[in-house]
Amino acid sequence: MPGISRPWQLAGLAALVLGLVAALLFSGAAGARAVSDPGALVRWGLPVSKALHNAALATVIGGLIFAVAILPRNLTGRQSKDKNAPEHPAFTRALAVAAAAGVVWTLSAVGVLVLSYSDIAGQAISGDPEFTKSLVYFMTDIETGRAWLTVVIIAAVVTTALFGVRSRGALALTLILSMVGLVPSALIGHSASSSDHEGAINSLGLHLVGVSAWVGGIIVLTLLSGVLASSSGAGGKTDITEPTFRRFSALAGFAFGLVFASGVINASIRLSSWNDLFASPYGQLILAKTAATLVLGGVGLMHRRWVIPLLGVKGAGLSARRVLWQLVLVELLIMGVTSGIAVALGRSAPPQPRSFAPDASPAFILSGYELPPELTPQRWLTEWRLDWLWVAVAAFGLVSYVLGILKVRRRGDSWSWFRSINWVIGLVVLTFVTSGPPSVYGRVLFSAHMVDHMALTMVAPIFLVLGAPVTLALRALTARRDSSRGPREWLLVFVHSKFSQLVTHPLFAAANFAGSIVLFYFSDAFDYAMRDHVGHELMNLHFALTGYIFVLTMIGTDPLPRRAQYPMRLLLLLATMGFHAFFGVSIMGGTGLLAADYFGNLGRTWGPSALLDQQTGGAVAWGIGEVPTLLVAIGVAVMWSRSDARESKRTDRAADRNNDADLTAYNDMFAQLAERDAKLAERNSKLEGR
């Protein structure tokens, strides 16, 4: 069976080293420094360690993606809860590859940690106690050192899990943890020092996610080439080449779009002019990387359009497999060179390096951005700062929803236009509150922040829930017929999981919806969310999910493990309305400034004082919080009325079918009771006559 031999598998690593060395020599990033040169070992060892780190991390993520969502777990090819069922060799090898890569990831992360300190300090590596003491300080007190120490810990935990975990649920959690390992890399380096540092960090984070899934998938495919067609327990052959490539092709197409779009965005933030792109070594490396990405996209398109459809055609299958693996090898080599260029790019100085100016304003120091102009009614529509993470979420939600509708309609089924319109409105609101004026002014005005928060947790979720995305996904996604788990299977697993049962329980959802506001604003979490980019994004995620889950339990039509009766829903809504009113009034009457070190030191020269603005924010929380809740209550009442009407119609139809058998039985019961009472009365009267 055609595949990729071991020497050619190692060619990808050679291409990585070749691309790295060539790019470093071209940019001069590995050249000796005039001052504080750490030595050739550090200058060359650090980029090599980063290249190995990136490749190993991508392989871990790729191996886990294949085990969790692409490959069948059992050799029989059927879903089975038997933990002792024989594993498919491809599944076993994917996890073995991920575990081996995890060891390399951990060791290379340690190497990057030590070499990064030596590079920043301008000292050669030594065993001197002073060097060790400074290295410990670097790991515990310097942002870059803490970031790489975090990566080392995550890598070690993931690697340990890979040697002992076999449950797909646990593997899915391990995959999520391994992707968390991408976050520290996005938070340090060139992107963190950009003028739009949050936009650069988010675009780089999205870029790393796409690259890891794409590159890691190609590496794992290469190493699986000999076991995708394996002997089955029944003595036959089970060839999973076609479904494996078809599933990965869909993932690779998404990853390509994510990598290309995020790369363009990140480059536009890092470069200030077209001249920087064409005239500087940094820009020229970006052009080379972009060209390689486009070539890879073209090869992937050849996979999807021409080669994969031929795998099941009689007479063309063998030649198609040979071409398929040849194209995979070409992708591996190009990706190796591109990955080397990417590491060298990270070591090269951008044309316009940026850092804090000596006279930086308080607002820039605290938030990373200068103060926006004074807020006016017009600027509630015109001041934007795109949050690329949430823009990507909205774009993915829109594209996926449209594709789902098209698939459902091609099958001959219909989908409500009312749901579609609500979903689009919800995504527009989500984008507006995360990237528009509420987000921009929410960093400097508590009142604008409260508009942002309330819209995020109480306005956008109403429209998104009415869009019924889970119902659409279950109708559009195709069920897997082997022992693998696709998006539909994982969605069902999540819907019926213990975690889902907990967070969607009506009482828990209501308590979380109301109580988390108090816990957030009257603790250090609020100050952390305003100062730190990760904290800010986690705040947005928490309140968006909290509002979505609460509204879903009230008026949602998507499947849930448990739903409250309509009277209980109205009671919970009234309780949350009262709680929000109490929260808003407490803020309005408060005399202490929340996150005082932040809002009190922004240096804002326009608008009301920080305390007066905070009290206005309390009024906003009270006012905006009540209207959506009232609308949800009206929705619950309407659903209750319709439910009663449907029950009445069902009862009437049943009565028509059985000639009012239930009513007749009911009347007969009372007639029998009356007859029995009459007999008892007659007997008692006879006894009294005696």
Side-chain angles (χ1 to χ4, degrees), residues 40-232:
L41 176 62
V42 175
R43 287 187 277 107
W44 286 95
L46 180 56
V48 170
S49 297
K50 283 188 175 181
L52 291 175
H53 167 272
N54 295 346
L57 173 55
T59 306
V60 170
I61 292 175
L64 284 169
I65 289 175
F66 269 76
V68 167
I70 294 179
L71 297 172
R73 187 184 190 279
N74 303 326
L75 193 57
T76 59
R78 297 186 300 272
Q79 295 286 354
S80 174
K81 294 183 179 180
D82 183 8
K83 296 182 180 180
N84 297 320
E87 290 182 350
H88 195 286
F91 180 87
T92 303
R93 179 172 291 189
L95 289 182
V97 167
V103 174
V104 178
W105 178 25
T106 305
L107 295 177
S108 60
V110 173
V112 172
L113 172 61
V114 176
L115 291 168
S116 293
Y117 165 70
S118 184
D119 181 65
I120 293 173
Q123 300 178 16
I125 296 177
S126 71
D128 185 85
E130 190 63 31
F131 181 90
T132 304
K133 181 179 178 180
S134 299
L135 176 61
V136 172
Y137 176 80
F138 174 72
M139 291 188 295
T140 56
D141 292 87
I142 304 300
E143 181 181 5
T144 303
R146 289 199 302 264
W148 281 110
L149 178 61
T150 303
V151 172
V152 171
I153 295 172
I154 293 175
V157 173
V158 168
T159 304
T160 303
L162 285 170
F163 279 102
V165 168
R166 273 300 187 268
S167 163
R168 279 182 294 192
L171 288 173
L173 294 176
T174 306
L175 172 60
I176 294 173
L177 180 60
S178 66
M179 298 190 78
V180 172
L182 297 170
V183 174
S185 298
L187 294 175
I188 57 178
H190 291 160
S191 293
S193 61
S194 301
S195 57
D196 181 13
H197 69 285
E198 291 188 359
I201 288 172
N202 283 349
S203 60
L204 178 58
L206 294 170
H207 192 75
L208 292 176
V209 170
V211 167
S212 298
W214 193 9
V215 176
I218 291 296
I219 294 174
V220 173
L221 263 181
T222 304
L223 298 175
L224 292 179
S225 62
V227 294
L228 291 181
S230 304
S231 299
S232 68

Side-chain angles (χ1 to χ4, degrees), residues 169-396:
L171 288 173
L173 294 176
T174 306
L175 172 60
I176 294 173
L177 180 60
S178 66
M179 298 190 78
V180 172
L182 297 170
V183 174
S185 298
L187 294 175
I188 57 178
H190 291 160
S191 293
S193 61
S194 301
S195 57
D196 181 13
H197 69 285
E198 291 188 359
I201 288 172
N202 283 349
S203 60
L204 178 58
L206 294 170
H207 192 75
L208 292 176
V209 170
V211 167
S212 298
W214 193 9
V215 176
I218 291 296
I219 294 174
V220 173
L221 263 181
T222 304
L223 298 175
L224 292 179
S225 62
V227 294
L228 291 181
S230 304
S231 299
S232 68
K237 299 290 277 187
T238 169
D239 190 349
I240 61 170
T241 304
E242 189 275 334
T244 299
F245 271 89
R246 177 167 40 81
R247 293 164 186 172
F248 176 70
S249 177
L251 174 64
F254 166 76
F256 167 76
L258 184 62
V259 168
F260 186 79
S262 59
V264 170
I265 293 168
N266 194 266
S268 66
I269 294 174
R270 297 298 302 136
L271 301 174
S272 59
S273 67
W274 287 103
N275 185 61
D276 290 339
L277 182 62
F278 293 102
S280 67
Y282 188 89
Q284 291 165 3
L285 288 178
I286 289 178
L287 288 175
K289 183 182 173 185
T290 303
T293 302
L294 290 174
V295 171
L296 287 170
V299 175
L301 185 63
M302 293 171 62
H303 276 307
R304 187 174 185 86
R305 291 291 180 86
W306 299 323
V307 184
I308 295 177
L310 293 175
L311 292 178
V313 178
K314 291 184 178 180
L318 187 60
S319 60
R321 281 172 172 76
R322 185 176 293 109
V323 173
L324 189 69
W325 289 116
Q326 289 171 351
L327 288 175
V328 169
L329 179 59
V330 170
E331 284 188 282
L332 180 67
L333 296 177
I334 297 176
M335 281 184 171
V337 175
T338 308
S339 299
I341 294 175
V343 173
L345 192 63
R347 292 286 296 162
S348 304
Q352 303 293 335
R354 296 179 177 93
S355 58
F356 284 117
D359 58 346
S361 66
F364 189 84
I365 294 174
L366 287 172
S367 68
Y369 296 96
E370 296 293 346
L371 282 172
E374 184 175 0
L375 181 59
T376 62
Q378 181 182 1
R379 290 189 176 122
W380 272 112
L381 299 174
T382 58
E383 292 294 324
W384 286 71
R385 186 186 301 136
L386 293 178
D387 186 324
W388 293 109
L389 176 61
W390 289 99
V391 169
V393 169
F396 176 77

